[in-house]
Every structure is written in structure tokens, then in C-alpha cells.
Amino acid sequence: MSIRKRGLTYSRQVRPSNQTPNLPSNQWGPFGALFSSCMKPSIPERTRPIGQSRKAPPVKLEVINPPTVEPLSLGLVKQHCRVWADLTEEDELIDFYLASARGWLEGVTARALITQTLRETRTVTDGGTVRLLRAPVQEILTVNGESIGLPKLEGEATLTGLPAGSEVIIEYRAGFGDDPEDVPAHTRHALLLIVGLSYEQRTPISSQTVNEVPNYLQNLIARLSWGGELPPC
């Protein structure tokens, strides 16, 4: 449309009311580019974090017993963030960033890093096969409160032999191991970089600020996703 003002004519584009404006990913802070890259529809179906189709029934995930330790030590994170070891004023903040980043990375990649006990409430789709929300699964504990006649576990987190169309409550133990050293180095490296981004960029940024996440970190997270391919350790 054109606007006439004081003898001059200006032209501007009018966005249809049903069109969503494109917001730069850097407006979402240090996780913006990571979030947008991991959640794009162009990601192959085999690397979708939850390993389900778009029309899959909703699944409720609960953490019964959380991890007893974090994949990274406080000392290593402080060294990465270039914080002197004897400066303890921000230890609580760094611990918070670490726990938050670990939970975020687990949600995006659908992988449990340190051993934890989980409960899923879900409806079994046709075929009687389900892919659990966290891998790698160490052990299936109960299905609907029963520990006898458990379904077969295939691969990292796929269950077969469940009655199709039924609602089940599955409790299981998942994670790479009990100790930080059990987590693959590539995964710990990605987590360390995410914590560093949180520490350096603490407040929302404007659209004029350039805050690009390194491509290798985006690619690493995509490869770590449940259903993807783990790089060699």
C-alpha cells in the first residue's frame, strides 16, 4: 500500500493478518539457534527426539528417581567458564545452569545421561510397539505395576509385544551409567558448551545482536538424538 505525506509517497508491504512474523532465533537467547535447528520439520523422522509420528497419542513422562550426580563436575564447568576455582560466589548459579542445561539436552535428544528411574503413561499404537521417550534403557522395571511377563526390549528403547490400543504405565531405568565418566565425551562436550552459553549470555538479546551458535554444536546435538547416530567415543 502507499502512504502520502507532505507531498511524498511512501510504499510499504502489508503482512496478511494470518501470517506469522519471522522472529530471528537470536531473540530467544543462547538456546535460540539450538532450539530452532533441533525442532525444524526438516529433521528426518528417524532423528525426531521422541521417535513418534506427528499423530501419536500424548505421552506423560515422570521422573521418579532423578540422577544422583551431574555429568559434569563443578570444577570442570568453572574452568570452561574461566572462573577462578577459589571464587565461590557463583557456584550455586553455575550448578543451576548445569542442571537446567542437562534437562534441556535430555529433552531435545531424548537421551537420559545419568542413570534415572522414569515412568511413562501412554496408549499403545497399532502393532504393539512403542519407543520410549528416553534412551538408552537399562532395564524395564514394571508394566502396569507388574514385573512378570515384561515386553521385550529391542535396541536402545523400543518395546514390542504390548497389547495394541491399551493404556500402559511403564517404569524403567535409563541412562548411560551411574558416573559422569559413563556419559560419552561428545555428549559431555555438548553439555559443557550449552552451560557456557548460559553463563556468558544471561539476559535476552535484541534482534540487532548477533548470537550464532556454532554449527558443529547444532550438528552434534542432532546426531545425539534418540533415533540418530552416536559419534564414536
Side-chain angles (χ1 to χ4, degrees), residues 116-135:
Q116 51 195 274
T117 304
L118 305 160
R119 178 191 294 129
E120 286 189 25
T121 304
R122 62 191 305 157
T123 300
V124 182
T125 56
D126 295 339
T129 299
V130 298
R131 301 180 66 183
L132 299 173
L133 298 186
R134 292 293 182 269

Side-chain angles (χ1 to χ4, degrees), residues 61-71 99 102-107 109-120 132-141 170-179 183:
L61 177 65
E62 302 171 86
V63 179
I64 301 176
N65 295 319
T68 57
V69 296
E70 294 293 344
R102 190 256 307 160
W104 183 87
L105 184 61
E106 287 180 335
T109 63
R111 289 189 179 277
L113 304 188
I114 298 293
T115 299
Q116 51 195 274
T117 304
L118 305 160
R119 178 191 294 129
E120 286 189 25
L132 299 173
L133 298 186
R134 292 293 182 269
V137 173
Q138 299 177 5
E139 181 184 8
I140 303 297
L141 301 176
I170 306 170
E171 293 188 4
Y172 61 97
R173 187 177 295 113
F176 289 105
D178 299 334
D179 301 319
V183 182

Side-chain angles (χ1 to χ4, degrees), residues 44-66:
E45 188 69 26
R46 68 181 185 88
T47 59
R48 288 187 178 276
I50 63 173
Q52 297 177 331
S53 64
R54 296 176 185 273
K55 297 181 180 180
V59 182
K60 180 181 179 181
L61 177 65
E62 302 171 86
V63 179
I64 301 176
N65 295 319

Side-chain angles (χ1 to χ4, degrees), residues 82-190:
R82 299 180 180 179
V83 178
W84 292 104
D86 56 348
L87 297 179
T88 60
E89 290 83 358
E90 294 187 323
D91 284 2
E92 184 178 357
L93 178 64
I94 294 176
D95 283 335
F96 173 80
Y97 286 153
L98 176 56
S100 177
R102 190 256 307 160
W104 183 87
L105 184 61
E106 287 180 335
V108 171
T109 63
R111 289 189 179 277
L113 304 188
I114 298 293
T115 299
Q116 51 195 274
T117 304
L118 305 160
R119 178 191 294 129
E120 286 189 25
T121 304
R122 62 191 305 157
T123 300
V124 182
T125 56
D126 295 339
T129 299
V130 298
R131 301 180 66 183
L132 299 173
L133 298 186
R134 292 293 182 269
V137 173
Q138 299 177 5
E139 181 184 8
I140 303 297
L141 301 176
T142 64
V143 175
N144 291 335
E146 299 291 337
S147 58
I148 301 176
L150 296 176
K152 182 181 179 181
L153 176 64
E154 296 182 356
E156 287 191 302
T158 301
L159 297 183
T160 60
L162 292 167
S166 63
E167 183 173 287
V168 294
I169 301 176
I170 306 170
E171 293 188 4
Y172 61 97
R173 187 177 295 113
F176 289 105
D178 299 334
D179 301 319
E181 292 74 17
D182 296 328
V183 182
H186 299 80
T187 307
R188 300 176 71 210
H189 185 194

